[in-house]
């Protein structure tokens, strides 16, 4: 009969079983290892001694019933049940008493120990997997990961393409994600599918990738943007946010950002949002829908922006210059727009 793979029988597991079960039964209890040596017992004086019937159970791979006491060896009546772990016999559970009385009890205790070993193995596997995931994400976050190593880790851990790498900030109630790593107030999430993001969180949601090298590029960009939290958008602004412009602002020297910021120093956040909506929309009608304003309001804002800045947002090149200025102001902390 095939046995479910379990963990290794240890002194700690055996002692835990004896300490838990022995006080609740009226029969002496012993647990022997794969050599037939008693490693846990309700009678501490027996620890370390070989158990003859346990040796028989191990050698013959069967339950051994002992009806009569042996005055020579000191063996008492009882039942010794082989304990399976990892698909092979790795120990024995022995209960002293009339075989007819203790046979079912010995079988039950043996199954209990096997269940504990299964749980132990699952815990070990879970811990190992969590460590491997943490190592993989640490490599991405730190920039030490390589294309080849990342490909191997993704395959070993069973993450199937397409993958996405996201950065989440300011989560009050984080969603559970298997592949997530918290660094200060930022959480990095690697996923094989779309992820759930709390409405209050600011986040950069990664695009689906099929090549590990693309994840490395995403990780580098997220490291850059994560260092400037003011450039990470809130939920309602992600569709107006432009990653390329945010990256340019994050990477630019502070002196250059100050120079860019002067262009829009006198405009309000409403006017800044108008510029973002214009850039994200194919038409003015679409921008109006994004802003939920009247058409005349949009026209008045565009006129005001031109009057204050000297740049006309209706002209693509001038709109681009205005946007660069807005992102520079956000990067400098002068405008909390995202």
């Amino acid at each position: 009969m095939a046995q479910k793979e379990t963990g290794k029988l240890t002194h700690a597991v055996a002692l835990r079983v004896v300490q838990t079960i022995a006080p609740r039964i009226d029969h002496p209890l012993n647990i022997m290892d794969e050599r037939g040596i008693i490693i846990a017992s309700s009678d501490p004086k027996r620890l370390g001694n070989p158990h003859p019937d346990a040796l028989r159970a191990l050698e013959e791979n069967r339950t051994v019933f002992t009806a009569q006491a042996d005055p020579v060896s000191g063996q008492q009546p009882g039942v010794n049940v082989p304990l399976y772990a990892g698909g092979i016999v790795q120990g024995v559970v022995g209960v002293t008493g009339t075989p007819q009385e203790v046979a079912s009890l010995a079988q039950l205790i043996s199954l209990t120990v096997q269940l504990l070993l299964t749980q132990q193995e699952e815990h070990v596997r879970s811990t190992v997997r969590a460590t491997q995931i943490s190592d993989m994400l640490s490599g991405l976050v730190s920039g030490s990961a390589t294309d080849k190593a990342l490909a191997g880790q993704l395959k070993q851990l069973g993450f199937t393409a397409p993958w996405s790498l996201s950065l989440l900030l300011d989560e009050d109630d984080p969603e559970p994600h298997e592949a997530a790593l918290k660094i200060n107030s930022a959480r990095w999430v690697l996923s094989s599918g779309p992820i759930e993001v709390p409405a209050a969180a600011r986040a950069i949601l990664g695009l689906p990738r099929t090549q590990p090298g693309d994840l490395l590029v995403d990780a580098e960009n997220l490291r850059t943007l994560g260092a400037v939290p003011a450039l990470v958008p809130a939920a309602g602004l992600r569709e107006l946010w432009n990653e390329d412009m945010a990256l340019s602002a994050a990477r630019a020297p502070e002196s250059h950002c100050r120079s860019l910021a002067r262009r829009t120093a006198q405009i309000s956040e409403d006017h800044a949002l108008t510029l973002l909506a214009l850039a994200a929309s194919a038409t003015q009608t679409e921008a109006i829908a994004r802003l939920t304003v009247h058409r005349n309001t949009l026209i008045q804002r565009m006129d005001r922006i031109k009057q204050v800045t000297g740049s006309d947002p209706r002209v693509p090149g001038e709109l681009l210059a205005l946007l660069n200025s807005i992102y520079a102001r956000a990067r400098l902390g002068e405008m909390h727009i995202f």
Side-chain angles (χ1 to χ4, degrees), residues 12-45:
V13 172
L15 183 62
R16 175 182 169 192
V17 171
V18 169
Q19 290 178 336
T20 303
I21 296 178
R24 292 170 171 79
I25 62 177
D26 296 326
H27 302 276
L29 172 62
N30 300 301
I31 296 181
M32 283 64 68
D33 63 12
E34 73 281 1
R35 301 167 301 164
I37 302 299
I38 300 174
I39 59 174
S41 175
S42 54
D43 181 1
K45 294 190 297 294

Side-chain angles (χ1 to χ4, degrees), residues 9-328:
L9 176 64
T10 64
H11 170 72
V13 172
L15 183 62
R16 175 182 169 192
V17 171
V18 169
Q19 290 178 336
T20 303
I21 296 178
R24 292 170 171 79
I25 62 177
D26 296 326
H27 302 276
L29 172 62
N30 300 301
I31 296 181
M32 283 64 68
D33 63 12
E34 73 281 1
R35 301 167 301 164
I37 302 299
I38 300 174
I39 59 174
S41 175
S42 54
D43 181 1
K45 294 190 297 294
R46 302 195 66 186
L47 291 176
N49 295 323
H51 193 294
D53 283 352
L55 288 170
R56 285 181 55 200
L58 289 168
E59 291 170 357
E60 300 173 14
N61 193 16
R62 68 177 181 86
T63 299
V64 173
F65 299 88
T66 303
Q68 301 293 329
D70 185 345
V72 177
S73 66
Q75 183 70 42
Q76 297 297 314
V79 175
N80 286 273
V81 182
L83 176 64
Y84 294 93
I88 61 175
V89 178
Q90 292 192 4
V92 176
V93 169
V95 180
T96 302
T98 304
Q100 293 83 351
E101 294 180 1
V102 301
S104 59
L105 178 60
Q107 291 286 350
L108 178 60
I109 296 173
S110 177
L111 291 174
T112 300
V113 176
Q114 186 167 318
L115 177 60
L116 286 174
L117 293 175
T118 300
Q119 293 174 338
Q120 174 182 275
E121 179 67 14
E122 290 174 351
H123 175 71
V124 169
R125 289 177 180 172
S126 176
T127 301
V128 169
R129 179 174 174 82
T131 299
Q132 291 172 333
I133 289 174
S134 179
D135 289 343
M136 178 177 63
L137 286 171
S138 295
L140 285 168
V141 172
S142 66
S144 62
T146 64
D147 195 325
K148 182 178 180 180
L150 180 59
Q153 289 171 319
L154 290 167
K155 181 178 180 180
Q156 179 184 9
L157 291 167
F159 286 94
T160 56
W163 318 283
S164 64
L165 185 65
S166 303
L167 180 70
L168 285 63
L169 303 180
D170 306 329
E171 295 177 287
D172 291 330
D173 185 19
E175 293 290 332
H177 297 290
E178 182 187 23
L181 184 65
K182 186 85 176 280
I183 304 292
N184 297 324
S185 62
R187 196 159 65 110
W188 294 64
V189 178
L190 179 67
S191 174
S192 290
I195 67 171
E196 295 292 330
V197 179
R202 292 183 297 147
I204 301 172
L205 304 182
L207 296 174
R209 304 298 191 189
T210 58
Q211 299 299 321
D214 292 333
L215 285 179
L216 297 180
V217 173
D218 289 343
E220 180 181 355
N221 292 340
L222 291 179
R223 284 196 301 274
T224 300
L225 293 170
V228 189
L231 289 171
V232 178
L237 290 168
R238 282 180 209 133
E239 63 179 15
L240 304 183
W241 180 79
N242 184 281
E243 182 175 358
D244 291 335
M245 287 195 167
L247 283 168
S248 294
R251 290 170 176 155
E254 184 172 333
S255 58
H256 181 59
C257 286
R258 294 197 181 282
S259 175
L260 293 175
R262 295 191 190 102
R263 185 187 295 267
T264 57
Q266 302 303 316
I267 70 172
S268 67
E269 290 192 5
D270 283 342
H271 290 103
L273 287 172
T274 299
L275 292 171
L276 295 177
L278 287 169
S281 305
T283 64
Q284 288 188 8
T285 300
E286 185 179 339
I288 289 169
R290 290 181 184 275
L291 294 166
T292 63
V293 298
H294 192 272
R295 181 176 183 82
N296 290 341
T297 301
L298 176 64
I299 293 173
Q300 290 169 2
R301 288 183 181 180
M302 290 191 294
D303 289 342
R304 177 60 179 170
I305 290 169
K306 180 180 179 180
Q307 178 186 2
V308 172
T309 66
S311 299
D312 190 346
R314 300 173 181 86
V315 179
E318 296 185 28
L319 174 59
L320 180 61
L322 289 167
L323 287 169
N324 281 328
S325 179
I326 293 298
Y327 278 87

Side-chain angles (χ1 to χ4, degrees), residues 324-337:
N324 281 328
S325 179
I326 293 298
Y327 278 87
R329 290 189 66 192
R331 185 249 198 253
L332 295 170
E334 295 179 1
M335 177 175 282
H336 304 286
I337 191 171

